[in-house]
Amino acid sequence: QLRGLSDLEFNLPLGICVLGDGVTIAVCDSENHKVKIIRADDGTFVRSIGTGIPGNRNCDFHGPCGITTLTDGSTMAVT
Protein backbone atom coordinates (compact mmCIF):
# COMPACT_ATOMS: atom_id res chain seq x y z
CA GLN A 1 0.00 0.00 0.00
CA LEU A 2 1.32 3.43 -0.93
CA ARG A 3 1.33 5.91 1.95
CA GLY A 4 2.66 9.35 2.60
CA LEU A 5 2.72 10.52 -0.99
CA SER A 6 1.68 14.13 -0.43
CA ASP A 7 4.28 16.72 0.54
CA LEU A 8 3.47 16.76 4.26
CA GLU A 9 2.77 13.05 4.71
CA PHE A 10 5.32 10.37 5.53
CA ASN A 11 5.75 6.63 5.25
CA LEU A 12 7.97 5.54 8.15
CA PRO A 13 9.68 8.82 9.14
CA LEU A 14 12.90 7.99 10.98
CA GLY A 15 15.68 10.59 11.11
CA ILE A 16 15.13 14.27 11.74
CA CYS A 17 17.44 17.25 12.14
CA VAL A 18 17.23 21.01 12.43
CA LEU A 19 19.07 22.97 9.75
CA GLY A 20 21.35 25.91 10.47
CA ASP A 21 18.61 28.54 10.43
CA GLY A 22 17.06 26.91 13.51
CA VAL A 23 13.62 26.85 11.89
CA THR A 24 13.84 24.40 8.99
CA ILE A 25 13.83 20.66 9.61
CA ALA A 26 14.81 17.74 7.41
CA VAL A 27 12.98 14.42 7.85
CA CYS A 28 13.97 11.03 6.41
CA ASP A 29 10.82 9.65 4.78
CA SER A 30 12.27 6.15 4.78
CA GLU A 31 9.69 4.09 2.89
CA ASN A 32 9.21 6.83 0.28
CA HIS A 33 13.01 7.02 -0.23
CA LYS A 34 13.12 10.79 0.19
CA VAL A 35 14.23 13.53 2.56
CA LYS A 36 11.57 16.19 3.06
CA ILE A 37 12.43 19.75 4.10
CA ILE A 38 9.80 21.59 6.16
CA ARG A 39 9.62 24.89 8.04
CA ALA A 40 8.87 23.98 11.65
CA ASP A 41 7.48 27.41 12.56
CA ASP A 42 4.52 27.29 10.19
CA GLY A 43 4.57 23.75 8.71
CA THR A 44 5.31 24.92 5.18
CA PHE A 45 6.70 22.28 2.85
CA VAL A 46 9.93 23.55 1.27
CA ARG A 47 11.12 20.68 -0.95
CA SER A 48 11.96 17.03 -1.12
CA ILE A 49 15.24 15.44 -2.07
CA GLY A 50 15.25 12.09 -3.82
CA THR A 51 13.33 10.56 -6.67
CA GLY A 52 11.17 8.29 -4.52
CA ILE A 53 12.67 5.28 -6.30
CA PRO A 54 15.26 3.30 -4.32
CA GLY A 55 18.68 3.68 -5.86
CA ASN A 56 22.32 4.50 -5.40
CA ARG A 57 22.84 7.45 -7.75
CA ASN A 58 23.17 11.08 -6.64
CA CYS A 59 20.04 12.17 -4.78
CA ASP A 60 18.61 8.65 -4.74
CA PHE A 61 18.00 7.04 -1.39
CA HIS A 62 17.15 3.51 -0.37
CA GLY A 63 15.34 3.78 2.94
CA PRO A 64 17.10 6.80 4.46
CA CYS A 65 17.03 6.53 8.23
CA GLY A 66 19.55 8.95 9.70
CA ILE A 67 20.31 12.58 8.98
CA THR A 68 22.47 15.31 10.44
CA THR A 69 23.81 18.68 9.41
CA LEU A 70 27.50 19.33 9.09
CA THR A 71 29.22 22.24 10.81
CA ASP A 72 28.17 24.74 8.14
CA GLY A 73 24.54 24.17 9.16
CA SER A 74 23.25 23.65 5.63
CA THR A 75 25.06 20.56 4.31
CA MET A 76 23.28 17.34 5.26
CA ALA A 77 24.68 13.84 5.65
CA VAL A 78 22.10 11.08 5.14
CA THR A 79 22.45 7.39 5.98
Side-chain angles (χ1 to χ4, degrees):
Q1 177 183 6
L2 297 175
R3 295 184 299 181
L5 297 179
S6 75
D7 291 340
L8 293 172
E9 294 180 330
F10 301 93
N11 189 359
L12 193 61
L14 292 176
I16 186 170
C17 73
V18 179
L19 301 185
D21 65 3
V23 175
T24 308
I25 61 171
V27 181
C28 290
D29 189 1
S30 186
E31 290 296 311
N32 286 323
H33 313 288
K34 295 180 178 184
V35 171
K36 294 183 179 180
I37 312 298
I38 300 161
R39 287 189 53 89
D41 59 348
D42 62 7
T44 302
F45 174 79
V46 177
R47 66 178 287 199
S48 64
I49 304 167
T51 62
I53 300 169
N56 58 4
R57 297 173 302 167
N58 269 349
C59 292
D60 281 346
F61 300 107
H62 192 174
C65 59
I67 189 166
T68 190
T69 55
L70 302 182
T71 56
D72 67 4
S74 61
T75 304
M76 295 177 286
V78 180
T79 60

